């Protein structure tokens, strides 16, 4: 791993040598460790007592014996600088060892650090593979992150149909951002048939966990009576919650708690490999002051944001379902745009110009409503291509001479548009895709 431990020794030197040295120099381990290997649990107890040096020594010994939890915990020590100099490169190296030993939470951390270039050269494409491994092992943060990247094409071919399946998997495990994104896709019919009543349900689950966008969406739904009976009191309640008011107060006329409590695991992280696609909770990563925490999840860009709504009854049967098993990533094919679709300026824009890809769906009517609702006007174009032999549509916005100009225009669009995870692409690339090139 290229790291030198205390006294210039490698962290992967034989466990017996390190334990003998520790006994001689510090006397911290005492006679209890004589003749046997250190364990993760002993390091865990030292960590809880704020004895980071002893925790590190014990975890290094246990890691040398193949304990992935100890590898993960060492990565956390170096990431946080607990008892050692803060060192993202060392943290990444330990997380990677744990990830290769099939610890799902470590796989998520490796993906995050690869994508962000923390402690390792940035490699979004390599990150995707680790996000997927962790997602398939049931880690909800990884499922949400993988879905977000399938949604907007970061490091992988954009695929809203798979994105919605993974958002659903994370949502059913209680991930608030995924619940909001799943609801938005259900509302707009993106990657899945539109279902306003189901969207209301998931907006409420996210809203009760404090997601402001979901609270605004619930308020809008109750004002407009979309997918739920119009109710001014509930519309005002969720508007107030979005402003940071009435947070301890349950929704009017409901016994639903004002918030949804989320359980925090307190046991040490497990190292067993989960069956693919199983919807299981996070490997129990030790909570603050119990054990080192993983790095915070990268905040995935939300799927299309929708207007406000209100609470729907909790559906406990949904939470028990298994995570969907997404199909293999499809290879998109393309066909010429259908006659009559508004393409306008896009047909004559130079190939080396840029445009903002805003949203995609198999339902062109929903996309046209999206363009109209957000006042995008004639600068928007609707492109048709084919995916898995079926029509697929994209909304793009504007003809810009440079990527920077396109990004500035994208940043200036209404919040409800930007929440869809728009991104800038060369016109020529999209034209080839549209025309089957």
């Amino acid at each position: 791993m290229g790291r030198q431990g205390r006294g210039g020794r490698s962290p992967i030197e034989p466990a017996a040598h390190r334990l003998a040295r520790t006994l001689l120099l510090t006397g911290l381990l005492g006679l209890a460790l004589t003749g046997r290997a250190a364990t993760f649990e002993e390091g865990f107890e030292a960590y809880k007592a704020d004895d980071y040096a002893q925790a590190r020594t014990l975890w290094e010994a246990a890691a040398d014996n193949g304990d992935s939890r100890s590898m993960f915990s060492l990565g956390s020590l170096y990431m946080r600088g607990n008892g050692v100099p803060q060192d993202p490169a060392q943290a990444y190296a330990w997380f990677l060892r744990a990830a290769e030993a099939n610890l799902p939470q470590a796989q998520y951390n490796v993906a995050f650090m690869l994508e962000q270039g923390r402690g390792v050269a940035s490699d979004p494409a390599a990150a995707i593979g680790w996000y997927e491994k962790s997602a398939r092992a049931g880690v909800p943060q990884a499922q949400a992150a993988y879905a977000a990247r399938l949604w907007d094409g970061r490091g992988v071919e954009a695929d809203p149909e798979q994105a919605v399946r993974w958002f659903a998997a994370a949502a059913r495990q209680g991930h608030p951002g995924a619940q909001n994104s799943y609801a938005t896709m259900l509302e707009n019919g993106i990657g899945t048939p539109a279902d306003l009543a189901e969207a209301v349900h998931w907006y409420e689950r996210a809203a009760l966990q404090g997601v402001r966008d979901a609270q605004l969406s619930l308020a809008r739904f109750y004002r407009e009576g979309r997918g739920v009976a119009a109710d001014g009191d509930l519309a005002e309640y969720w508007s107030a919650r979005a402003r940071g008011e009435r947070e301890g107060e349950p929704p009017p006329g409901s016994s639903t708690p004002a918030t949804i409590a989320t359980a925090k695991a307190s046991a040490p992280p497990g190292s067993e490999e989960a069956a693919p696609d199983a919807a299981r909770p996070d490997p129990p990563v030790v909570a603050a002051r119990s054990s080192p925490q993983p790095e915070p999840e990268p905040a995935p860009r939300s799927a299309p944001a929708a207007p406000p709504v209100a609470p729907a009854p909790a559906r406990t049967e949904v939470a028990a379902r298994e995570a969907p098993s997404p199909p293999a990533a499809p290879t998109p094919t393309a066909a010429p745009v259908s006659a009559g679709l508004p393409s306008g300026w896009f047909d004559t824009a130079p190939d080396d110009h840029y445009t903002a890809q805003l949203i995609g769906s198999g339902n062109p009517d929903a996309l046209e409503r999206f363009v109209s609702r957000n006042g995008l006007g004639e600068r928007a174009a609707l492109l048709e291509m084919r995916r898995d032999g079926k029509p697929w549509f994209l909304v793009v916005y504007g003809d810009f001479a440079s990527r920077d100009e396109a990004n500035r225009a994208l940043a200036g669009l209404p919040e409800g548009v930007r929440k869809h995870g728009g991104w800038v692409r060369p016109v020529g690339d999209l034209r080839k895709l549209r025309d089957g090139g």
Side-chain angles (χ1 to χ4, degrees), residues 40 83 97 202 252 321 341 364 402 420:
F40 167 81
R97 282 186 62 180
W202 289 108
R321 295 178 192 163
L341 281 174
S402 70
H420 291 261

Side-chain angles (χ1 to χ4, degrees), residues 79-101:
M79 183 57 71
R80 292 173 175 273
N82 287 340
V84 293
Q86 193 169 32
D87 188 339
Q90 294 284 18
Y92 175 79
W94 282 114
F95 287 142
L96 181 61
R97 282 186 62 180
E100 290 172 340

Side-chain angles (χ1 to χ4, degrees), residues 217-235:
S217 294
L218 282 171
R220 172 171 52 84
F221 269 63
Y222 275 108
R223 274 198 307 271
E224 299 175 359
R226 299 182 66 229
V228 69
D231 189 318
D233 289 341
L234 282 168

Side-chain angles (χ1 to χ4, degrees), residues 48-62:
K48 289 195 294 182
D50 293 332
D51 191 343
Y52 301 129
Q54 185 174 356
R56 174 193 171 194
T57 296
L58 289 162
W59 279 333
E60 284 180 345

Side-chain angles (χ1 to χ4, degrees), residues 108-405:
Y108 170 81
N109 282 17
V110 165
F112 175 47
M113 296 179 78
L114 274 169
E115 183 176 57
Q116 300 295 317
R118 296 187 63 183
V120 64
S122 177
D123 190 342
I128 288 296
W130 287 110
Y131 276 133
E132 183 178 6
K133 282 179 182 290
S134 184
R136 289 186 178 278
V139 176
Q141 299 102 313
Q143 291 171 340
Y146 186 46
R149 284 140 191 82
L150 287 166
W151 164 250
D152 63 14
R154 279 178 286 165
V156 67
E157 181 70 31
D159 189 337
E161 291 181 5
Q162 282 209 68
V164 76
R165 294 169 71 96
W166 284 110
F167 275 134
R172 289 167 185 149
Q173 293 202 73
H175 189 287
Q179 290 170 342
N180 183 58
S181 293
Y182 183 39
T184 302
M185 298 182 88
L186 285 164
E187 179 190 355
N188 290 280
I190 300 165
T192 185
D195 187 334
L196 296 183
E198 189 73 358
V200 168
H201 166 68
W202 289 108
Y203 277 135
E204 183 197 25
R205 304 298 289 176
L208 289 170
Q209 294 199 67
V211 178
R212 182 175 179 273
D213 285 345
Q215 292 166 345
L216 290 170
S217 294
L218 282 171
R220 172 171 52 84
F221 269 63
Y222 275 108
R223 274 198 307 271
E224 299 175 359
R226 299 182 66 229
V228 69
D231 189 318
D233 289 341
L234 282 168
E236 172 52 33
Y237 170 80
W238 286 112
S239 292
R241 286 288 298 271
R243 296 192 300 268
E245 304 167 7
R246 302 176 69 175
E247 292 186 357
E249 180 183 330
S254 170
S255 59
T256 302
T259 60
I260 294 178
T262 54
K264 298 292 185 183
S266 58
S271 59
E272 67 277 6
E273 182 177 10
D277 305 320
R280 305 188 342 168
D282 289 353
V285 179
V286 188
R289 294 311 334 119
S290 296
S291 118
Q293 289 291 311
E295 273 298 285
E297 70 180 284
R301 277 180 271 174
S302 201
V309 184
R315 304 185 186 183
T316 54
E317 76 281 2
V318 173
R321 295 178 192 163
E322 284 194 344
S325 176
T331 303
T333 56
V337 66
S338 296
L341 281 174
S343 55
W345 55 264
F346 184 85
D347 292 329
T348 57
D351 282 348
D352 61 354
H353 278 202
Y354 294 85
T355 190
Q357 178 178 316
L358 300 182
I359 192 171
S361 173
N363 183 345
D365 292 337
L367 294 182
E368 289 176 358
R369 288 194 298 271
F370 167 81
V371 169
S372 175
R373 185 169 70 241
N374 290 287
L376 298 179
E378 295 181 356
R379 297 192 73 183
L382 183 63
L383 311 182
E384 181 183 1
M385 51 200 69
R386 300 193 71 80
R387 185 186 290 270
D388 289 343
K390 298 178 181 178
W392 183 255
F393 303 89
L394 296 177
V395 172
V396 297
Y397 179 83
D399 172 15
F400 305 100
S402 70
R403 185 180 293 275
D404 286 347
E405 183 184 351

Side-chain angles (χ1 to χ4, degrees), residues 1-5 9-11 56 60 78 87 90 94:
M1 292 180 48
R3 178 175 66 83
Q4 296 297 307
R9 292 178 175 83
S10 165
R56 174 193 171 194
E60 284 180 345
Y78 280 100
D87 188 339
Q90 294 284 18
W94 282 114

